[in-house]
Amino acid sequence: MAVVGVLALQGSFNEHIAALRKIGVKGIEIRKPEQLRDVTSLIIPGGESTTMAKLAELHNLFPALREFVKMGRPVWGTCAGLIFLANKATGQKTGGQQLVGGLDCTVHRNFFGSQIQSFEAELPVPELASKEGGPETFRGIFIRAPAILEVGPEVQVLADFPVPSKRLLGSDPSLEDQKENDEEESKVIVAVRQGNTLGTAFHPELTADTRWHSYFLKMGNEITEAASRSCVPVEVSVCHKQPPQNDLPIFQ
Ligand SMILES: NC(=O)CC[C@H](N)C(=O)O
C-alpha cells in the first residue's frame, strides 16, 4: 500500500489526509527531515507560505525537501504548497521566503486579492478528465490563491483561468501602455505538471472530488513501475462517473 507524506507544519494537511483516506491511501504527517525516508511521495498543503517556510526552516526541512524533489519522487503542492515548489515567486512579504523549487514557473502570491476575494470556479480540466474520468470540469476553491504567470518549456499546463488583461498589467511593465486591453481577457495558469511535480493554485482537498488525489497517486505508480517491475502498484480504482457532491467540508 502506498504511503503518502503530507507536510504537516501548518495549513490543510488534515484535509489532504482525509481525502487520501477516501481513496484507500494512508497519508502520514511529515514534520521532520528523517520522516521523508518513510514515504514515496509528498503533498505540500495550502496554508500560509511565509509561515510554513519559517517553520520549515526551524525544523531544517529545506535541504531534505529539495533532495526529495531532485530524486524525482512525486511531489504535489496545493496553493501555498505550489508557492513552495515554484522556482520563482513574486508578491512575497518583505525579506522574501525560502522556496523548495523544482517546478519551472513563476508564481504570484495572493494574485486574486485578499482573503475576502476568495472564490470558487468550475475549471475545465481536460487532462484530469481524460485520465480519471468524471466531469470535464473541476470545482476549484481559491483561497487567497496564487496564480502561475510563466512556465518553462517542460511544464504541462493542466488548467487555466480567465482574468481581465488589465489584471496582468502590474506583473508586466511592458504592457502598461496597452490601455485598449482594458476589456480583453487573458488567462492565468492554475494547475501544472512537470515530470513528477504537480502544482495546483486551488484546494482539491476541500472538495469531495478526489480525482486530483488519484491522479497524483498514479504519478507515483508511473515511476514505481519504471523503477522496479517487482513493486506492487498502488491500487487506485475510484469511480468518478457521478458528478461529485458539494459537501464541504470533507475533513472528518
Ligand atoms: N490558501 C493558500 O494556501 C493561500 C496561500 C497564501 N496566499 C500564501 O501566500 O501563502
Side-chain angles (χ1 to χ4, degrees), residues 149-150 166 168-179:
L149 303 184
E150 271 172 24
K166 62 179 175 193
L168 287 169
L169 295 182
S171 33
D172 184 352
S174 67
L175 295 173
E176 284 295 353
D177 293 334
Q178 296 182 19
K179 297 284 183 224

Side-chain angles (χ1 to χ4, degrees), residues 122 133-137 208-211 239-246:
E122 286 296 326
E136 287 298 312
T137 59
D209 188 340
T210 51
R211 285 181 295 166
C239 175
H240 296 296
K241 295 227 169 58
Q242 293 300 317
Q245 311 273 307
N246 292 353

Side-chain angles (χ1 to χ4, degrees), residues 61-75:
L61 270 155
F62 275 105
L65 289 170
R66 291 191 185 112
E67 188 56 31
F68 197 88
V69 174
K70 240 185 240 154
M71 281 182 335
R73 299 268 173 89
V75 183

Side-chain angles (χ1 to χ4, degrees), residues 154-176:
E154 284 167 26
V155 175
Q156 184 185 8
V157 174
L158 303 180
D160 52 25
F161 184 74
V163 291
S165 292
K166 62 179 175 193
R167 190 58 198 79
L168 287 169
L169 295 182
S171 33
D172 184 352
S174 67
L175 295 173
E176 284 295 353

